[in-house]
Amino acid sequence: MEMPVPNPGIIARKAQIVSALARVLPAGGVISEVSETRAYECDALTAYRCAPLAVVLPRSTEEVSAVLNICHDMGVPVVPRGSGTSLAGGALPTADCVLLGVARMNEVLETDYDNRFIRVQTGRTNLSVTGAVEQEDFFYAPDPSSQLACAIAGNIAMNSGGAHCLKYGVTTNNLLGVTIVMMDGTVIEVGGAYLDSGGLDLLGIICGSEGQLGVVTEATLRILRKPEGARPVLMGFDTNEVAGECVSDIIKAGVLPVAIEFMDRPCIEACEAFAHAGYPMCEALLIVEVEGSPAEIDEQLAVILAIARRHNPVELREAKDADEAGRIWLGRKSAFGAMGQINDYMCLDGTIPVTSLPFVLKRIGELSKQYGLGVANVFHAGDGNMHPLILFDANKEGDLELCEQMGADILRLCVEVGGCLTGEHGVGIEKRDLMVDQFAPDDLEAQMAVKDVFDPKWLLNPAKVFPLAASESRRTVALAAE
Amino acid sequence: MRPETEAELAETIAAARGPLHVQGGGTRSVGRPVTGDVLQTGGLSGISLYEPGALTLVVKSGTPLAEVEAALNAEGQRLPFEPMDHRGLLGTTGTPTMGGVVASNASGPRRVQVGACRDFMLGVRFVDGQGTVIKNGGRVMKNVTGYDLVKLLSGSWGTLGVLSEVSLKVLPKPDSAATLVFQRLDAALAVTVMSRALGSPFEITGAAHDPQAGQTLLRIEGFEKSVTYRADQLKTLFKGHDIAVETDPARVAQIWAGIRDVAPLHDGAGDVWRVSVKPSDAPEVAARLDAGALLFDWGGGLIWARVAEGTDLRARIGAVKGHATLVRGSAASRAALPVFQPEPAPLARLTDGLRKRFDPRGILNPGLMAG
């Protein structure tokens, strides 16, 4: 993955930039020693690394504003970072950037159960938002798998999803308002503890803009009352096609499960070897979870099980208690860890129309043979968000490149069948150069026009999302203006 | 002007030499009055794709809403966000279109639980003010590929671009529904009751208070046994209140269509405003409005108020966080008062900047959303 050549003029001014930043931040708020900035050289896309010019760790919106104002005036690019769990390289620094980490901003600012919202600083982790309200039996719905570590700032930047979004939606559907600092330091409130926008839906465009429009420092999030209970069932099928049909029939029947997870044979085998969850050995496995009171769960599961039986399952297992429910989820939840035990892997994130599932799985199998790399599929079947895991050997010359080529082919396949390049991880640098496969030049131009308005100098996370060739004129104009 | 294809729409806009008054069915005449050649989207009609098993629907923007609803109904599905029909309130005639629903982000009582129109939008195709065709989003349920112009276009009232096609997520229609009716609560108590219900695990899909009828309404939907169970649980939760439970499907549908379309405020002279606030602020705000008629939806988060013509409602609301829109106003009111909430300067700069980029000639419903 290519990155722009760092601006030597900025690197030459490092001392000056660092001292200006140190003047507006408390001691320890600026990190500039090379030995220490290296800790921020990558996010969860670890194949790509580059230490930033300096790191700042502000504690308040005012400090973020002061930092951005300085960087704006000095023409220094800024890469915002939540917890650094991006799988797409969203927080990958460049050598000429100031990396702005919000990790020290993790306070709960307001909790309001009557109006069902919580206001937090965005460095707070996803799971600890739920942690702050669960004593009252409330929760924050979006639940990305990295929820123990990932920050709300990153969730907003990438519009993160999770396993339960079939029912509860993704970040944008649960975000009510933000405090956002613009690149020139201006602080703006967008939205609030009410349900709609009085003008254009700026909140909607900010969410998912990958840290390119501003730095979100505070967020008002919708919290929901926990359901009375939840229960999963596990179903095994002989073919991917039948499992796919079963998913479609469940959805059509009027039941709305909170989660429908799908695993194929390579994934089942790896999980079984790793976690011993007692999964049946078959071609395709579904985990379907429903919520409600015990009687409501029984009613919904009766409908779901009747549909499953029509598709001749090789296994049908209903959790009778919490322990059995835990065992059903055990394998799925350890899927990524299990794959990591066997191999290095690359996790993809395309979305396809649910109806194309059997065709896409067949094509992925063919690509796997063609490239000679194994693939395991685990994904959110209810909403078509696939996570094929391509297995490769990082120590083998050329294997990473081969894996990336195969990944690109799979993502193009997703686009061909009417889907998209990324369902919940974001574009970052990883899918940046594939954007031309999904969008025409005019489509990209319209998106870049939004950045022009929010960040006219193209200083915020500038080398992400858009193919470098497409954004080049804008980035170089901004540079020339220095 | 009534283009029949997206390409014709693009040509029409590119060739325009003056302002265009963009309309779907012309039933939602909200905003500062627009003068200009009328550009109707009704010629762009038809369902392009409907996959019930994938919960997805793609339609051309001028497709009548009724046609979409009939197609969904045939498969036991629906538009979950319950779009308001503005005709009763505004006295307009004509045929509401899907494009109009999206351009106005029309969202009814179920918004409080499942989300607004914008939350169910998966993709758009539109033509900007230069005549360029742009697509964003797609037809799949999870999509974070690039910026979310889909949300930006939803609720932009035709001022950033003219929609040619929209894709949406739809949901199954539940088997049954019930409405719990509380009698004679004042606004403060009504909001307390609604907040408590919405904060319960019983999945309330509508929470409204109609002071004219002296009724506070809670809706539950789902499988029949589940609806019965939750109705019982709610009656226990609100022991001591006088609660009637309406389970006749036709009656339940009629009650909520009335709330959705703001029926209690249709008759009677005056301007009608919609005010969005934090639910707990609603009783105090409503008391300050000196309104002839009021309706609270979204658990109190949405207040509809009918006031004397020309009243500056925002002055009465004061410094409470939220916003107010003049939805029904005489031409004089709409000329004298900003229809949409004026934005603070830094926000207004972004809004203006976006308009200038998407419609540099300022020809798409110019001034309609001016604050």
Side-chain angles (χ1 to χ4, degrees):
Chain A
M1 225 61 71
E2 194 197 343
M3 288 300 275
V5 180
N7 181 340
I10 293 172
I11 294 174
R13 284 185 290 144
K14 177 172 174 175
Q16 198 189 336
I17 294 162
V18 167
S19 79
L21 292 169
R23 277 198 291 277
V24 297
L25 292 175
V30 186
I31 298 170
S32 59
E33 289 298 324
V34 177
S35 59
E36 293 177 66
T37 54
R38 195 165 294 142
Y40 297 87
E41 67 183 1
C42 70
D43 52 25
L45 185 68
T46 52
Y48 297 91
R49 294 163 194 267
C50 174
L53 186 75
V55 176
V56 290
L57 300 170
R59 291 177 185 275
S60 66
T61 299
E62 293 68 32
E63 289 181 9
V64 171
S65 166
V67 164
L68 289 181
N69 185 258
I70 287 169
C71 292
H72 180 260
D73 289 351
M74 299 181 91
V76 183
V78 173
V79 172
R81 176 183 166 113
S83 297
T85 59
S86 173
L87 289 163
L92 177 72
T94 50
D96 58 1
C97 86
V98 167
L99 185 116
L100 190 165
V102 294
R104 288 184 179 173
M105 300 175 59
N106 57 10
E107 299 291 313
V108 171
L109 303 169
E110 190 180 0
T111 311
D112 186 333
Y113 298 104
D114 286 340
N115 294 302
R116 302 169 299 285
F117 73 87
I118 183 170
R119 201 159 59 86
V120 298
Q121 288 185 313
T122 55
R124 195 169 181 88
T125 61
N126 174 292
L127 196 60
S128 72
V129 171
T130 289
V133 295
E134 67 187 349
Q135 76 276 10
E136 296 289 331
D137 283 331
F138 276 74
F139 72 111
Y140 173 60
D143 60 341
S145 351
S146 58
Q147 68 180 155
L148 186 62
C150 65
I152 293 298
N155 289 182
I156 293 170
M158 295 310 199
N159 189 14
S160 303
H164 291 79
C165 39
L166 186 57
K167 178 169 177 187
Y168 295 113
V170 295
T171 301
T172 192
N173 313 113
N174 291 278
L175 179 68
L176 296 171
V178 294
T179 300
I180 181 170
V181 187
M182 308 304 292
M183 187 61 216
D184 66 0
T186 310
V187 178
I188 302 182
E189 300 283 334
V190 183
Y194 39 86
L195 290 175
D196 60 0
S197 159
L200 292 181
D201 191 350
L202 298 182
L203 193 60
I205 193 85
I206 289 166
C207 190
S209 62
E210 306 208 7
Q212 291 198 308
L213 302 185
V215 175
V216 176
T217 55
E218 294 174 15
T220 305
L221 307 168
R222 208 157 101 100
I223 52 172
L224 304 171
R225 177 66 185 262
K226 277 188 180 164
E228 289 180 89
R231 204 188 306 157
V233 285
L234 180 145
M235 320 167 174
F237 296 95
D238 274 336
T239 66
N240 291 330
E241 283 82 355
V242 174
E245 281 164 22
C246 186
V247 170
S248 207
D249 287 351
I250 290 171
I251 289 173
K252 269 195 283 194
V255 206
L256 192 66
V258 277
I260 306 181
E261 298 290 296
F262 184 114
M263 295 162 78
D264 70 357
R265 180 182 274 275
C267 190
I268 299 166
E269 283 172 357
C271 290
E272 198 45 37
F274 180 75
H276 311 293
Y279 283 175
M281 282 304 136
C282 55
E283 291 307 311
L285 198 148
L286 295 178
I287 298 172
V288 183
E289 183 162 272
V290 297
E291 289 180 344
S293 66
E296 290 175 294
I297 289 173
D298 286 343
E299 193 178 13
Q300 294 176 72
L301 286 186
V303 175
I304 290 169
L305 291 171
I307 293 166
R309 284 194 190 96
R310 288 208 300 272
H311 293 281
N312 303 315
V314 296
E315 175 97 13
L316 212 49
R317 194 183 301 165
E318 189 179 344
K320 293 199 180 53
D321 52 37
D323 187 50
E324 285 190 25
R327 291 186 69 77
I328 286 180
W329 276 112
L330 177 67
R332 167 63 184 92
K333 288 191 172 163
S334 52
F336 289 44
M339 301 313 295
Q341 286 275 305
I342 314 174
N343 259 101
D344 298 305
Y345 69 82
M346 185 167 110
C347 174
L348 302 180
D349 174 46
T351 308
I352 56 165
V354 180
T355 38
S356 307
L357 196 58
F359 171 74
V360 170
L361 288 176
K362 189 168 142 271
R363 279 291 297 143
I364 290 178
E366 289 164 9
L367 286 168
S368 170
K369 284 203 189 79
Q370 184 190 322
Y371 280 91
L373 295 174
V375 181
N377 284 293
V378 49
F379 57 89
H380 315 305
D383 49 34
N385 187 195
M386 308 187 77
H387 295 306
L389 306 177
I390 308 177
L391 310 178
F392 70 104
D393 182 353
N395 295 319
K396 194 171 147 195
E397 183 83 22
D399 231 28
L400 171 67
E401 290 72 19
L402 198 63
C403 173
E404 285 183 343
Q405 281 170 32
M406 180 172 161
D409 279 352
I410 293 177
L411 293 181
R412 284 192 199 99
L413 171 65
C414 292
V415 174
E416 268 165 43
V417 299
C420 66
L421 299 171
T422 171
E424 56 184 0
H425 294 173
V427 178
I429 58 158
E430 194 201 14
K431 273 93 65 179
R432 191 188 59 194
D433 299 324
L434 291 170
M435 288 288 272
V436 292
D437 289 291
Q438 186 172 333
F439 294 111
D442 285 339
D443 303 332
L444 290 175
E445 184 63 29
Q447 296 179 35
M448 289 190 288
V450 173
K451 182 162 172 65
D452 292 341
V453 171
F454 279 73
D455 175 24
K457 294 169 85 174
W458 274 67
L459 289 172
L460 271 167
N461 222 6
K464 313 287 168 66
V465 184
F466 304 105
L468 290 182
S471 65
E472 190 184 9
S473 60
R474 287 169 155 92
R475 286 181 291 108
T476 47
V477 165
L479 275 185
E482 285 314 303
Chain B
M1 286 177 275
R2 199 169 185 276
E4 302 277 329
T5 64
E6 186 182 72
E8 279 178 31
L9 173 65
E11 281 165 30
T12 307
I13 294 175
R17 290 290 164 262
L20 296 171
H21 185 187
V22 186
Q23 283 188 350
T27 66
R28 305 177 202 273
S29 51
V30 176
R32 281 265 167 87
V34 175
T35 45
D37 295 336
V38 173
L39 171 59
Q40 285 182 330
T41 60
L44 302 158
S45 187
I47 295 173
S48 317
L49 176 135
Y50 174 32
E51 286 184 353
L55 303 175
T56 47
L57 172 78
V58 183
V59 293
K60 299 206 173 69
S61 62
T63 312
L65 176 61
E67 187 182 325
V68 170
E69 286 177 332
L72 294 175
N73 200 36
E75 294 288 340
Q77 299 187 340
R78 66 181 178 189
L79 296 173
F81 51 90
E82 230 177 346
M84 171 183 180
D85 184 340
H86 279 79
R87 287 176 293 187
L89 182 66
L90 301 179
T92 47
T93 53
T95 308
T97 64
M98 269 318 294
V101 167
V102 175
S104 61
N105 188 30
S107 311
R110 205 173 290 110
R111 193 275 168 262
V112 74
Q113 196 223 9
V114 301
C117 173
R118 54 91 88 178
D119 294 297
F120 287 88
M121 284 296 294
L122 303 177
V124 290
R125 293 181 65 90
F126 64 97
V127 179
D128 73 5
Q130 302 274 57
T132 307
V133 177
I134 295 162
K135 70 166 183 299
N136 192 261
R139 65 172 174 102
V140 286
M141 267 189 242
K142 270 165 87 181
N143 186 348
V144 296
T145 321
Y147 293 175
D148 196 348
L149 302 183
V150 179
K151 300 276 184 307
L152 188 64
L153 266 288
S154 305
S156 67
W157 294 89
T159 64
L160 297 178
V162 181
L163 296 167
S164 51
E165 191 173 79
V166 294
S167 358
L168 297 106
K169 173 182 175 181
V170 299
L171 284 181
K173 227 170 154 163
D175 277 11
S176 75
T179 301
L180 274 69
V181 186
F182 295 68
Q183 303 290 346
R184 292 175 299 280
L185 307 183
D186 64 21
L189 190 53
V191 169
T192 304
V193 162
M194 292 191 286
S195 285
R196 209 160 152 218
L198 288 163
S200 78
F202 306 122
E203 302 202 342
I204 306 296
T205 69
H209 174 62
D210 176 0
Q212 289 72 224
Q215 291 185 335
T216 306
L217 308 160
L218 299 175
R219 178 175 59 187
I220 37 185
E221 298 171 292
F223 289 117
E224 194 178 340
K225 273 191 229 159
S226 166
V227 167
T228 310
Y229 165 78
R230 285 182 280 148
D232 288 344
Q233 292 292 310
L234 285 162
K235 281 202 276 188
T236 310
L237 187 66
F238 295 110
K239 219 165 33 199
H241 283 278
D242 172 20
I243 304 171
V245 180
E246 179 61 71
T247 55
D248 174 50
R251 264 302 291 154
V252 172
Q254 189 192 359
I255 291 170
W256 291 96
I259 302 293
R260 181 194 70 193
D261 299 341
V262 208
L265 273 65
H266 287 187
D267 301 327
D271 295 343
V272 175
W273 292 74
R274 81 193 278 289
V275 183
S276 204
V277 290
K278 195 161 75 178
S280 61
D281 287 339
E284 206 192 314
V285 168
R288 274 187 237 151
L289 301 181
D290 191 22
L294 283 167
L295 183 67
F296 300 78
D297 196 357
W298 301 355
L302 178 63
I303 309 169
W304 289 92
R306 193 178 66 219
V307 293
E309 193 183 312
T311 305
D312 181 0
L313 202 77
R314 296 188 187 100
R316 292 190 182 167
I317 293 169
V320 175
K321 283 193 176 177
H323 56 85
T325 309
L326 172 58
V327 175
R328 184 181 86 183
S330 64
S333 297
R334 287 196 281 161
L337 297 164
V339 169
F340 289 85
Q341 182 80 22
E343 292 172 322
L347 215 55
R349 269 200 295 280
L350 293 175
T351 296
D352 289 347
L354 290 169
R355 282 194 211 295
K356 288 203 175 82
R357 294 306 299 253
F358 283 87
D359 178 22
R361 297 184 292 163
I363 60 165
L364 300 178
N365 282 344
L368 186 145
M369 289 185 80

